[in-house]
Structure formats: C-alpha cells, structure tokens
Amino acid sequence: MWFSFWRSRERFSLDEFRFLTDQLMKVQVVNEVNKDFVIEALRSIAELITYGDQHDVAYFEFFMEKQVMGEFVRILRISRTVIVSLQLLQTMSIVIQNLKNEHSIYYMFSNEHINHLITYSFDFRNEELLSYYISFLRAISGKLNKNTISLLVKTDNEEVVSFPLYVEAIRFAFHEESMIRTAVRALTLNVYHVGDEAVNKFVASDPHADYFSNLVKFFREQCINLDKLVNASKCMGPATSGSILSSVDEIEDNLYYFSDVISAGIPDIGRLITDLMLKVLIFPSVLPSLRMEVVKDSDAGIGTATSLYLLCCILRIVKIKDLANIVAAVLLCDIETFVPMSEAKLNGFMVNHDMSHENQDSENSGFRSDSDGQSLRVLIPNISSSLNSHPEDDSSQPDHGSTYSALREALLSYITTGDDVQVSGSLSMLATLLQTKELEESMLDALGILPQRKQQKKLLLVCCCRKEALVGEGSAEEQLFSSENMVKDGIGSEMDCYFQKLKEKYGLLCVCKEVTVTPRRQRFQVLDALVSLFCRSNISAETLWDGGWLLRQLLPYSKADFRSHHLELLKDTFHNCTSCILDETKGSWPDLLIMVLCDEWRKCKRTIEASSPRKDPKSMLLPAHKSLSEEVASGESSFAAGERLFEIVKVFVLLHQLHIFSEGKLLPDQPPIHPTVDVMETSRAKRAGIDSLGPKQSAELSLVDAVPCRIAFERGKERHFHFLAITIGTSGWLILADELPVRPSFGVVRVVAPLGGCNPRIDEKHMRWLHLRIRPSSFPCIDGAKHTAHPKVKSKALVDGRWTLAFRDEDSCKAAFSMIVEELKLLSSEVERRIKPMLAIERTIDTSTK
C-alpha cells in the first residue's frame, strides 16, 4: 500500500483525492510505522479541498460523499502519536480558513464532527499542540455568522444550552502565553459580534458570565503589578521604564478589549462590565487611593499615580456612559462613601453626616478598614488656604462646615500642594473628564470644569426656556459666574439618578454637599488651583503647560473670568521669572536664548491652543530623571545650564502668554523682540575684519587686539597662537589664530569656540595661566534650522572642554581676561536689549493687539 502511495498521478486531481481517501480509510491504527503516510495524506487532502473549493465543486461533493470529516475524527481516535493530532488540527484550520463557498462552510459545521474535535481530550501539556488547537478554534470563529453559529450550539426551547467553541476557548483566556490570550479574545469578539440573541443570553448568563468577572480580576492583578513596578522605579530609576511601558501596553490592550466587547452591543454584558469594573477595581482600589495613605498588610494596594493613570485610561478607552458618570459622581462624594457606616470613623469617633467633628485637625483625620488585610487612614488636606475665598464675591467663600473631604477637592489639592507626579496626574484626570463625551454636562458643571462656551450655551437655553430677556442684566459672559438660577435647574435631576444608583446598586451612601450649591464656587476653586499651580516653582514646565492647556479649555477668551488676585499672583510670578531670564543673559547659553524664546513661544501657543493635551497619561508613571538642582550642587555643567535655560524659558513663555490671555487678547505668533543692529565700528570684530556671519576656519583676520599665548591640545605638543574674543550681535566667539609670517599684523583662524559660558579664571598659583571652559557650540537637537530641546535625552557627545592658555606675562593674561569679560558684557547687553519688550507685561499686551 505504501509503495502505491508514491506512484505517479496528477497532484491536483479528483483521482488523487479519491486515492488518498481510500488509503486513509484502510488505516486501522496510527503508529510509528505509518504516521508519515497519515500526516502526508492529511496535508494533501487539505490542499485538495482548498483547491476544489475555488476551482471545481466536484471535490467538495466527493468530500461530503465519503464523509471525510468523519474519517478525520476516526483517525484522531486511533492515533497514538501527538504529531498526527498536530497535523489534523493544522489541516482543519487550513481547510476552514480557506473555504469561500457558503455551502461548503455550512456543510463543515452542519454535523457534530467539528464539536467533537473541539471537545476532544487533547494533551495540552504539549504547548505546540495547544497553539494548534487555539488556531483551530479561532479559524472556526472567523466563519461565524447568524446562520453558521446556530450549527455549533445546542438549544432547548430556543435557549442555547451548549456552545463548545466558546466554553472551551475561554478555558485558556488567562493562559500565561500572551499569543494564546490574544487568540481567545479574538474568538470571543467574533462570537459577540455575530449578534445572535440566544447566544448573547448564553454568554451573559451564569456560569459563563464568570469569564467577565475573572477578566476584570485578571485586569486588577495587572494594575497591581504595574503599581509595584512604579514603586520600584523610585529606587531603581530609569532602568525600569521598559518594564513599566510593557505593563502599560498590556493594561491598555485589556481596556481596548473591554471596549471592543462593549461595542458588540450586548446590553447585559455592557452592564456587567460596568458593575465589575466599579465593584472589583474602581471602588475598592482606585478611587480610595486618591485620598488614602495605605499601610499595606498585603500587596493589593494601588498608589495614587497609578490610580490616576488607570482612571484616565478607563474613561478614555472604555466608553460607557454609566461608568463615566458614576466615576464623576463619586468624585463629588465625601470619603465616607467608600466605608460601610458601621466601620467609618473620624479621629476615633463615628462619622455622622452633619460633620459634628468639624473642629478636629483635618490632617489627623482618619478611619480604619480591616477588609482585604489593609489598614487605611484618610488624609484630608486643608486646601482652604490654596482654594481661597474671593473678596469680590461672598458666594465663592468656602463652606467652612465641610471637611473638604470630596475626592474632587483632593485632585485640586494635589495641583496646589502635590509633587510633579501628583500635579500631572490630577491635570490628566481633569483633562480626561473634560474630553469624555459620555459625561453629562451637569457633571462637568458640578466638577467645575464645564468649558465656558458650554456654559454660555446652557445659559442661553435656560433663558430661552424661561423667556427671560438678557437685556439690562449684563452680558452672557458676566452671568456665567454670577447667575444663581441658571445652575440649580441643570444639576439636580441628572445627577440624582447617579447618586441614587450609587446607593441602591452599589451600596455606597454618597455624602455630597457640592451639588446643593451652584457650581460657581467649584469653578472658582478650579481656577484658583490652576493659578496657584502657575505660581509654583517646584513643578516642571511640561506640567505647567498642561495646566495652561486646561485653563485655555475652560476659559478660552474671557478677561472677566479672572479676579484681581489672580492677575496679581500671575504678575508677581512673571516678574520673578523675568529676573531668572535676565540671569540667563549672563549664563552659559546667552547666544541661544533668543532662538529658544522664539521656538518655545510657538510651541507653547500650539500646546495651549490644541484640541487635546499633548502629554500621554502614562508619562506620569515613568521614573523622574535627575533634577537640575542635584547637578548644580555637584558643579554645574553646560548641559545642566542648558536644561535650566529651557525650563526657565518654557515657564517664562507660558506666564507671558497667560498674561496676554488673561487680558482677553489674541496670542501673537511670534514673541515681541527687537531686531538686530549693525556691528559698531569700534567693536573688536570690526577691527579684526570679521563680517556679520562670524569667524570661519582658515579665514584671515587682523590681530590688532589679539594677545599671544601658548596652549597644548595634546600632551607634550604645545602650540603658539594669538588669542581673541569677539562679539557680533547675540553671538560671541573665542578665537585662536596663527600669525602670518609674511603679514605680522594678520593671522589665520585655526580654532573657534563659543564665548558664552567660558567662565574665565586666572590660576591662583600661576598668574600667567587663564582657564576657560569650552562648552559645545549647540545644545542637543538644536541646529541652525530648527531649535528644539529634549532635556531628558542626554547626548554622550555633549561634554565640556577645558582650555588653559599660557601667556608671556601676568599683564598679558589680565588683558586677555579683561577682553573676555568685556565681550561677555556686550553679549549680555545685546541679548537683554533685544528681549526687553518681553520683560514688560503691559507693553507686550499692547504690542499683541496691534
């Protein structure tokens, strides 16, 4: 028989198909002797079926006539080798994937052979076999539709009672191999998107709904593992960034899977995922960490930064209206919301909801919960000083009967007093809420982040409904923060249903005083927090820009929204930053200051006017790099000075644009800077014969002001030069020139270095020696065409050099020193002259309106 298998026949022919099938039917047992034949026969049959489906219907008719599917099942039963099982699964996957004819697919699924293969007891200890099995299941799911899915289920009274494809697949939903998990999820999505009501009811009912419960629990474990990595990064530094980003990718993949499941439009599953996300993850682990210091008895806690990131991602990716609005509603609730009434204590006493213990020290306030093996203490920061009252308006006074324990106020407290990570996380959270389309406008209004344009629209609608004329009552803008009647209608009814749902469905008693008053106070709290943020000096410029974006979204074009104390605070902070800018004109990079100012101006304008924030929320999880203050403490390099320059310029530009914005003016595309002036005839550059483009290698120059010196660039190889320092406009250079033998008063440029940051110093022991620091001519990622900075990416090539110039006597050394100091002053003065229009707020505002 085996020799006849190899006889010459046309490969893709019905005779070949008939011969292979006949020979396969003669096999009574599959062992080591005949396994190669069986494997080759299965592979060839798969090719012939695929060929016939596309070219000749007779092939599949023969396949049905001989019941080859049943023969496949028989071969599997009598096989004693794993390799045959592998080939059979591969054969079935290939056949199913390549079938195009609907009649052929219908036949494949119309008997129990497919379900028998699905439920067969394979030895999945063999990882390769498991991979082939999952591929087989996925291939089947790819052919599912409302007609074919009914062939793979068993029903009783029109209800699905058995669905082996789905049930067997989700057994491997949490396999350690990510490829298997991905394939299972793809299969389940294929099932959900068929839209068969009976199947949908089956997958959403017990015990199959446990899949979603386990899925959310699995997701929660991933979140906890991410938090462990974030905590470890505080000690290990940037080395953990790769692990954090990989964990973030997995978490976001999970959320996108939730989103895909919900998009299938199965109401029961959407409600189930919402409940599970809230009950398993958000209520017990995420939201409480925004206000709690967790003294862990186990490793189940999630830190503040991770919690803020998770909330941002969940709201951004999983677009469920109930989920978004319930999270927003909880942000308005007091911390007691998360504790059963029998366990809630404040300073050792039972918390009652009339806040009778309001005189207790809020920073010592706390409660204990022994659930999940954790001890939790409430931290209620006193933010009344930062979210201060407004003397212009009594209605914005804080409610001193409140303990400021709402989670929303915790976010604002992080903005006013938290570190850079907490500020970034809170801003990301507010930005995400602002951009969540599923949120009711009343929720945004109660949170104090309803954009001004929507406030105006709401005001107009209310006025129209009441048939009230706006004439004689001030403009719509002025009424946004002053109309008491506008708000009470819009908040109560829409929000009450979510608070009721929190109580009845989730067992959370929401103690919320925020919604009993108008949102005016909440809006002023947000504005106060943002203005307070801009006045902080210990927050990175990138984070401050995020705050600028949020402010611009909330108040896009109104001068009236800023109170006098806001303007005074911003003005004082701007003046402080101005002094730092003036210091930079005498620093290491004065020649780059104007270029950086112009470039950062354009970037800042694009950032705060963009439709969405530029920073990804996951950036808050990455470990911080070494601070500039640490580098300065150990002796500042030109790189550290450059980083500081960019940081100061970013803050200066933001504050400058905020001042223009607070006046209700349009931001100009370019900063107001004076133009350049011609080089003075008395300058050293002019006397040396150097044009406005600066010195070039091998160019001739006059040595009238040059001082002879010696320098060794290599050990034992001392060279004689003439030293010269010059300034042209906002650029300066140190020049070493060779004297021309034929023209003693002239020389040739051999070495050019930047004047800025050279820090001249005469050696205390050798008064003829002059020490200079030679910084790079440009900062990383800055060239003549484009000036940008990436302070977190350090270039190995950026290293400061050192020159030690030896002069013939002390007077020559002092003359060279004085020349450098004089040229540095000229350079600083010219830079200061050109940026002078930016240093005066009022003048800049006038310029921007012309």
Side-chain angles (χ1 to χ4, degrees):
M1 179 180 71
W2 314 126
F3 292 104
S4 63
F5 177 73
W6 300 108
R7 68 187 179 184
S8 177
R9 280 182 306 276
E10 186 179 349
R11 182 181 178 187
F12 291 103
S13 66
L14 202 56
D15 288 340
E16 178 72 4
F17 195 3
R18 186 177 292 108
F19 169 77
L20 291 173
T21 304
D22 290 342
Q23 295 300 320
L24 203 60
M25 290 180 174
K26 296 177 182 179
V27 176
Q28 299 302 312
V29 63
V30 181
N31 51 32
E32 293 296 324
V33 176
N34 61 2
K35 68 176 183 180
D36 291 337
F37 162 74
V38 173
I39 291 170
E40 187 60 35
L42 292 173
R43 184 182 295 116
S44 298
I45 289 174
E47 294 175 352
L48 289 165
I49 295 172
T50 302
Y51 173 82
D53 183 69
Q54 300 174 12
H55 296 88
D56 189 348
V57 69
Y59 283 79
F60 205 83
E61 289 177 352
F62 178 80
F63 179 83
M64 293 187 291
E65 177 188 344
K66 293 297 183 179
Q67 298 186 7
V68 178
M69 276 294 296
E71 196 61 28
F72 286 169
V73 173
R74 186 185 70 85
I75 290 294
L76 181 63
R77 288 173 176 170
I78 64 175
S79 175
R80 298 178 181 177
T81 60
V82 173
I83 192 170
V84 173
S85 300
L86 289 172
Q87 184 57 55
L88 180 62
L89 289 173
Q90 185 184 46
T91 296
M92 290 306 304
S93 298
I94 293 172
V95 170
I96 294 171
Q97 285 175 351
N98 289 281
L99 286 179
K100 306 297 182 184
N101 188 291
E102 291 186 7
H103 177 70
S104 301
I105 297 172
Y106 193 86
Y107 172 79
M108 292 288 290
F109 291 177
S110 63
N111 52 60
E112 282 297 304
H113 295 313
I114 288 289
N115 278 340
H116 182 84
L117 292 175
I118 292 172
T119 57
Y120 185 80
S121 298
F122 292 101
D123 184 4
F124 291 128
R125 291 175 297 181
N126 185 308
E127 294 182 1
E128 187 179 8
L129 181 63
L130 177 59
S131 297
Y132 277 95
Y133 176 75
I134 296 296
S135 296
F136 166 61
L137 298 185
R138 185 172 181 178
I140 297 171
S141 72
K143 299 297 182 180
L144 292 180
N145 55 43
K146 288 190 175 181
N147 294 322
T148 57
I149 198 170
S150 62
L151 303 174
L152 298 175
V153 301
K154 291 182 179 180
T155 59
D156 184 14
N157 293 328
E158 297 185 353
E159 289 191 1
V160 176
V161 295
S162 175
F163 189 9
L165 175 66
Y166 182 80
V167 172
E168 294 299 319
I170 62 175
R171 287 176 52 204
F172 304 97
F174 309 104
H175 194 272
E176 59 185 9
E177 177 58 49
S178 63
M179 295 293 290
I180 292 177
R181 295 199 303 269
T182 301
V184 170
R185 291 182 180 184
L187 182 151
T188 58
L189 290 176
N190 288 337
V191 171
Y192 305 148
H193 281 274
V194 168
D196 186 281
E197 292 186 6
V199 172
N200 291 346
K201 185 177 180 181
F202 174 82
V203 300
S205 62
D206 292 330
H208 314 295
D210 289 344
Y211 166 66
F212 299 103
S213 176
N214 294 331
L215 194 64
V216 175
K217 290 177 181 177
F218 177 75
F219 177 68
R220 180 174 183 265
E221 290 303 313
Q222 287 185 315
C223 296
I224 293 172
N225 291 334
L226 171 63
D227 189 62
K228 291 178 181 178
L229 290 173
V230 172
N231 290 332
S233 69
K234 297 175 183 177
C235 301
M236 301 176 64
T240 59
S241 295
S243 299
I244 290 175
L245 290 175
S246 296
S247 181
V248 163
D249 288 342
E250 290 184 5
I251 284 174
E252 294 189 1
D253 285 345
N254 274 295
L255 289 174
Y256 279 112
Y257 174 64
F258 285 131
S259 179
D260 290 340
V261 171
I262 293 163
S263 69
I266 306 175
D268 290 342
I269 292 181
R271 287 190 291 268
L272 182 60
I273 290 177
T274 299
D275 291 347
L276 289 169
M277 290 288 284
L278 291 169
K279 292 179 179 178
V280 175
L281 178 65
I282 295 177
F283 286 158
S285 300
V286 174
L287 286 175
S289 71
L290 302 184
R291 295 300 306 275
M292 299 177 184
E293 179 183 46
V294 182
V295 183
K296 295 182 182 179
D297 296 326
S298 67
D299 295 329
I302 297 178
T304 301
T306 309
S307 294
L308 288 170
Y309 161 75
L310 291 172
L311 282 176
C312 290
C313 281
I314 290 170
L315 293 176
R316 177 169 54 90
I317 297 174
V318 185
K319 299 184 181 300
I320 305 177
K321 184 176 182 180
D322 267 9
L323 180 63
N325 283 280
I326 287 173
V327 169
V330 173
L331 291 177
L332 297 168
C333 296
D334 286 350
I335 196 65
E336 299 93 272
T337 300
F338 300 102
V339 188
M341 288 301 297
S342 60
E343 297 178 11
K345 293 185 178 182
L346 186 64
N347 291 333
F349 298 93
M350 291 297 296
V351 176
N352 71 37
H353 300 292
D354 61 4
M355 304 298 176
S356 60
H357 301 290
E358 64 191 24
N359 294 324
Q360 295 287 346
D361 183 357
S362 64
E363 291 193 3
N364 294 327
S365 302
F367 72 87
R368 294 184 61 83
S369 172
D370 296 328
S371 61
D372 297 329
Q374 297 184 20
S375 173
L376 305 177
R377 183 171 78 255
V378 182
L379 297 179
I380 307 178
N382 183 3
I383 62 176
S384 60
S385 59
S386 55
L387 304 179
N388 49 19
S389 60
H390 305 288
E392 295 93 335
D393 201 312
D394 293 338
S395 65
S396 59
Q397 294 277 354
D399 180 6
H400 296 292
S402 167
T403 59
Y404 287 99
S405 57
L407 293 176
R408 168 191 166 277
E409 293 189 0
L411 295 178
L412 299 184
S413 178
Y414 286 141
I415 293 174
T416 57
T417 62
D419 58 28
D420 202 88
V421 172
Q422 292 169 332
V423 173
S424 179
S426 296
L427 291 175
S428 294
M429 183 64 192
L430 293 176
T432 301
L433 289 167
L434 186 64
Q435 293 197 306
T436 301
K437 296 180 180 179
E438 292 74 24
L439 272 183
E440 301 284 359
E441 285 192 4
S442 59
M443 285 292 183
L444 291 175
D445 214 6
L447 291 168
I449 56 173
L450 183 65
Q452 189 185 67
R453 61 185 180 276
K454 293 186 178 180
Q455 295 172 31
Q456 287 183 316
K457 180 180 178 182
K458 185 175 181 180
L459 176 62
L460 293 173
L461 289 174
V462 171
C463 290
C464 289
C465 292
R466 294 178 176 180
K467 299 181 180 180
E468 294 177 353
L470 295 177
V471 179
E473 299 183 14
S475 67
E477 279 187 19
E478 292 172 348
Q479 293 189 44
L480 288 177
F481 280 156
S482 62
S483 175
E484 298 289 335
N485 296 327
M486 175 190 73
V487 199
K488 294 181 180 179
D489 293 340
I491 292 186
S493 59
E494 290 179 341
M495 296 182 63
D496 282 347
C497 66
Y498 291 108
F499 292 131
Q500 193 69 16
K501 190 173 293 186
L502 282 170
K503 179 180 179 180
E504 295 178 356
K505 191 170 185 179
Y506 302 106
L508 300 176
L509 180 58
C510 186
V511 182
C512 181
K513 293 185 178 182
E514 298 290 343
V515 296
T516 61
V517 297
T518 70
R520 184 181 184 192
R521 173 173 170 268
Q522 284 89 314
R523 289 199 291 272
F524 268 119
Q525 282 187 339
V526 175
L527 185 56
D528 282 348
L530 290 175
V531 172
S532 175
L533 169 65
F534 301 135
C535 298
R536 298 184 61 184
S537 60
N538 59 340
I539 301 299
S540 70
E542 295 286 336
T543 301
L544 293 179
W545 280 21
D546 293 338
W549 177 88
L550 182 59
L551 181 66
R552 189 61 186 264
Q553 292 296 309
L554 298 177
L555 310 172
Y557 45 71
S558 178
K559 176 181 178 180
D561 300 324
F562 289 92
R563 292 298 189 248
S564 60
H565 74 282
H566 294 149
L567 299 176
E568 288 300 321
L569 286 171
L570 290 174
K571 186 177 291 187
D572 291 343
T573 306
F574 177 81
H575 287 313
N576 292 335
C577 194
T578 296
S579 64
C580 295
I581 288 290
L582 290 175
D583 289 341
E584 290 303 319
T585 64
K586 304 175 181 64
S588 297
W589 300 86
D591 46 340
L592 294 184
L593 179 56
I594 292 178
M595 293 186 291
V596 174
L597 273 170
C598 293
D599 191 56
E600 295 302 326
W601 181 278
R602 292 189 295 269
K603 289 181 180 178
C604 186
K605 184 175 185 290
R606 286 197 302 267
T607 296
I608 65 176
E609 291 182 346
S611 59
S612 58
R614 63 173 183 169
K615 187 185 291 185
D616 193 300
K618 65 186 174 187
S619 61
M620 74 180 80
L621 302 177
L622 299 177
H625 291 253
K626 187 178 180 182
S627 67
L628 293 174
S629 59
E630 294 175 1
E631 296 196 47
V632 172
S634 59
E636 185 181 57
S637 66
S638 66
F639 183 84
E643 283 187 312
R644 187 188 64 240
L645 170 68
F646 275 91
E647 192 76 4
I648 291 173
V649 168
K650 285 176 182 289
V651 176
F652 175 78
V653 164
L654 174 65
L655 292 172
H656 204 294
Q657 294 189 6
L658 287 177
H659 273 294
I660 298 175
F661 165 58
S662 68
E663 290 292 322
K665 310 296 183 181
L666 295 177
L667 295 178
D669 293 330
Q670 297 291 339
I673 293 177
H674 282 317
T676 58
V677 295
D678 295 334
V679 181
M680 295 177 59
E681 293 293 332
T682 57
S683 68
R684 287 190 175 88
K686 201 74 171 179
R687 292 197 298 268
I690 298 175
D691 60 25
S692 60
L693 297 178
K696 297 181 178 60
Q697 292 283 349
S698 302
E700 290 190 12
L701 77 166
S702 172
L703 301 179
V704 61
D705 294 314
V707 182
C709 67
R710 292 172 289 117
I711 185 173
F713 292 112
E714 299 179 45
R715 184 180 295 275
K717 294 184 179 181
E718 193 173 71
R719 295 183 61 182
H720 291 262
F721 289 108
H722 281 67
F723 173 76
L724 182 65
I726 64 168
T727 299
I728 301 177
T730 58
S731 299
W733 298 272
L734 304 173
I735 301 173
L736 297 178
D738 277 334
E739 186 177 16
L740 291 173
V742 294
R743 301 178 67 189
S745 298
F746 290 85
V748 177
V749 176
R750 298 302 184 195
V751 183
V752 179
L755 173 66
C758 65
N759 296 347
R761 180 178 61 86
I762 297 176
D763 194 283
E764 296 178 356
K765 297 181 178 180
H766 303 85
M767 302 298 291
R768 294 182 301 161
W769 291 3
L770 180 62
H771 298 288
L772 302 174
R773 183 183 71 178
I774 306 301
R775 49 140 247 241
S777 58
S778 64
F779 203 70
C781 300
I782 290 185
D783 54 36
K786 186 175 180 180
H787 309 284
T788 58
H790 301 278
K792 295 182 179 180
V793 181
K794 296 195 175 183
S795 172
K796 293 182 179 179
L798 190 70
V799 178
D800 291 336
R802 293 288 185 271
W803 284 3
T804 299
L805 303 178
F807 295 90
R808 63 182 62 171
D809 52 42
E810 294 182 10
D811 290 339
S812 298
C813 185
K814 290 179 181 179
F817 177 83
S818 299
M819 176 168 47
I820 294 173
V821 172
E822 184 178 340
E823 294 298 320
L824 284 171
K825 288 181 179 179
L826 290 173
L827 175 60
S828 175
S829 298
E830 175 61 14
V831 173
E832 187 174 338
R833 181 194 70 81
R834 291 195 61 192
I835 66 173
K836 189 175 181 180
M838 295 192 69
L839 305 181
I841 298 172
E842 294 79 8
R843 183 170 181 178
T844 304
I845 294 174
D846 293 338
T847 303
S848 68
T849 60
K850 292 180 180 179

